[in-house]
Amino acid sequence: MLKGTNIHKSFGDLEVLKGIDLEVAPSEVVVLVGVSGSGKSTLLRCFNFLERINKGTIEVDGQVVDPKKHKLSKIRAEVGMVFQHFNLFPHMTVLENVIEAPMIVKKMKKEDAVVLAKGLLEKVGLADKADVYPSKLSGGQKQRVAIARSLAMEPKVLLFDEPTSALDPELVGEVLSVMQQLAQEGMTMVVVTHEMKFAREVADRVIMLDEGRIIESADPVTFFENPSHERTKQFIQLVD
Amino acid sequence: MELLNTVFEVFMRTYPGFLEAALMTLKITAVALVLGTILGLVFALMKISRSKILQTIANVYITIIRGTPLIVQIMFLYFGITELITLSGFWAGAIALGIHNGAYIAEIFRGAIQGIDRGQREASSSLGMTRAQSMRRIIFPQALKRSIPPLGNQFIITLKDSSLVYIISVQELFALANREAAQSYQPLETFLVVGVYYLILVMIFTYLLKLYENKLNVDK
Ligand SMILES: Nc1ncnc2c1ncn2[C@@H]1O[C@H](COP(=O)(O)OP(=O)(O)O)[C@@H](O)[C@H]1O
Ligand SMILES: [Mg+2]
């Protein structure tokens, strides 16, 4: 579904990703962990083509993406992204946030987009907030709208970059449960998070990134009970 | 008290002419604002474009306009380019003011666009929008709203700067005041009166702007 091979990414002299190989199967949920600065966000942003990689290849749905040949906007529409700070469009209502991309990018008719959006808002439990502006929502509600907005493009993969890190603790659960529901429905997901409970219960695979390299990749039980790398053990102790 | 009486007398004697002149001031300001806003938008977009050529053109325009006095620009348009086309005083003045404003408005728009959180562009990109779509639907509407206070400020400056076109004999407020003052030997009263005309126009304008800003805030 999504495959990175030998991904290298540098910012100036700083090499942030040092040869990442990662293949995500359809309906797989991969949780990506690692200390701050290890390159998790950068990797997700490369998968979404918000950053250009310096070396390596990225395949989406079996096709190698060449930024010079392909229209990146087309490909980005297939790889959704949920951001730590939601990035909702503040000048639009919740409903308008969700129907915007289907209408503008996919040229969907407004009636159809509204039906789609209302269904998605229902799904994330915010049907009653359709006509509200984002500034009136709690952080948890904002993030659920952002998820609905991404889903409206019917992406093949959904990337989450610390979706609950900006939330008050009591609002984390409502977002995670939406994500868990998506996982159960077979959504392919790559999730950067510090919520180890989510990793244990929802992930098919947990991956540890350290200084731009994958040092551990295992099912959650193995990852947490029997990690092979010393740095992983330290990390688990730190966050648990 | 004496002064108040003579000011009032001057006001009563001159108001038919001044009202007409005020209309001229408004017309020239309106043309300048429309032209300035269009130019400002075009040059702001050029400045933030990825094309080096477009960026350079915009920079040259902004540097030249901001680096030379408005009065020189007015004279240049009226007398300087008569070999190419002849413009009436009104159009030379309005266009000069418009071009002048365009440079400042371009900077206002550019600042507002670049001030929008980059997460907005990233979110729209990640949804599959092109740069143009994202600009038109997501970035610019937010930037426009933020531009309104500085734009209002710039519009007021333009209204007052329009007085400089008296130099090419456009019969607006200041030109008329100048003539009245000389003919009547009452410069103190006349310039007081014309000052009040400008003040009232600016106050009306400020009020309308407030209304519009409040309306935008209610929408949100
Ligand atoms: N646009 C950028 N320019 C320069 N350095 C960057 C940029 N983005 C990230 N970095 C650097 O790359 C490293 C990895 O960052 P990031 O991917 O955000 O890590 P994580 O998400 O794991 O905390 C950090 O050292 C960060 O400072
Ligand atoms: Mg990060």
Side-chain angles (χ1 to χ4, degrees), chain B residues 91-168:
Chain B
W91 284 106
I95 292 171
L97 262 178
I99 293 175
H100 182 80
N101 259 294
Y104 289 91
I105 294 177
E107 288 294 78
I108 290 172
F109 280 144
R110 183 193 58 78
I113 289 170
Q114 290 182 336
I116 300 297
D117 180 54
R118 71 186 211 142
Q120 293 288 307
R121 162 152 286 144
E122 293 184 346
S124 41
S125 293
S126 80
L127 290 165
M129 292 189 208
T130 62
R131 262 176 77 91
Q133 286 169 336
S134 157
M135 178 56 71
R136 188 164 50 82
R137 302 283 310 173
I138 308 301
I139 309 296
F140 189 69
Q142 295 181 56
L144 183 61
K145 196 176 151 189
R146 283 201 202 172
S147 305
I148 287 171
L151 275 180
N153 212 16
Q154 184 60 33
F155 286 6
I156 287 168
I157 292 173
T158 307
L159 179 69
K160 293 186 290 181
D161 277 356
S162 71
S163 57
L164 284 174
V165 302
Y166 88 98
I167 199 91
I168 53 174

Side-chain angles (χ1 to χ4, degrees), chain A residues 1-2 24-25 27-31 44 47-48 76-83 120 123-124 143-144 146-161 163 178-179 182-183 186-192, chain B residues 126-127:
Chain A
M1 185 57 68
L2 186 64
V24 185
S27 298
E28 191 182 14
V29 177
V30 172
V31 165
L44 287 193
F47 276 139
N48 198 240
R76 287 202 193 99
E78 300 184 347
V79 183
M81 180 107 160
V82 174
F83 301 87
L120 289 170
K123 184 178 182 139
V124 299
Q143 195 59 296
R144 286 185 283 150
I147 292 172
R149 181 178 68 175
S150 287
L151 290 174
M153 287 303 285
E154 298 171 328
K156 292 178 174 143
V157 189
L158 207 44
L159 312 173
F160 294 82
D161 192 359
V178 167
M179 291 166 61
L182 283 178
M187 186 66 177
T188 311
M189 295 163 46
V190 181
V191 183
V192 173
Chain B
S126 80
L127 290 165

Side-chain angles (χ1 to χ4, degrees), chain A residues 157-175:
Chain A
V157 189
L158 207 44
L159 312 173
F160 294 82
D161 192 359
E162 302 201 26
T164 58
S165 295
L167 301 181
D168 293 335
E170 73 272 18
L171 302 175
V172 169
E174 63 191 59
V175 173

Side-chain angles (χ1 to χ4, degrees), chain A residues 215-236:
Chain A
I215 60 166
E216 189 99 33
S217 170
D219 63 273
V221 175
T222 317
F223 186 92
F224 288 106
E225 308 310 329
N226 193 17
S228 59
H229 208 286
E230 196 54 38
R231 302 274 298 193
T232 318
K233 283 180 199 150
Q234 288 169 2
F235 178 80
I236 293 168

Side-chain angles (χ1 to χ4, degrees), chain B residues 20-143:
Chain B
E20 209 172 302
L23 200 62
M24 179 58 90
T25 289
L26 284 177
K27 269 196 224 164
I28 211 157
T29 305
V31 174
L33 289 182
V34 171
L35 182 62
T37 305
I38 295 170
L39 288 176
L41 186 56
V42 169
F43 282 100
L45 292 175
M46 283 166 71
K47 224 182 147 170
I48 58 170
S49 77
R50 282 181 295 190
S51 154
K52 271 270 172 300
I53 300 170
L54 293 182
Q55 284 174 22
T56 309
I57 296 172
N59 281 331
V60 168
Y61 164 71
I62 291 168
T63 307
I64 290 177
I65 295 300
R66 297 215 299 187
T68 56
L70 173 56
I71 200 157
V72 173
Q73 294 161 13
I74 293 170
M75 296 295 265
F76 178 82
L77 240 98
Y78 189 58
F79 295 110
I81 63 167
T82 42
E83 278 150 47
L84 302 174
I85 35 162
T86 321
L87 290 170
S88 68
F90 175 83
W91 284 106
I95 292 171
L97 262 178
I99 293 175
H100 182 80
N101 259 294
Y104 289 91
I105 294 177
E107 288 294 78
I108 290 172
F109 280 144
R110 183 193 58 78
I113 289 170
Q114 290 182 336
I116 300 297
D117 180 54
R118 71 186 211 142
Q120 293 288 307
R121 162 152 286 144
E122 293 184 346
S124 41
S125 293
S126 80
L127 290 165
M129 292 189 208
T130 62
R131 262 176 77 91
Q133 286 169 336
S134 157
M135 178 56 71
R136 188 164 50 82
R137 302 283 310 173
I138 308 301
I139 309 296
F140 189 69
Q142 295 181 56

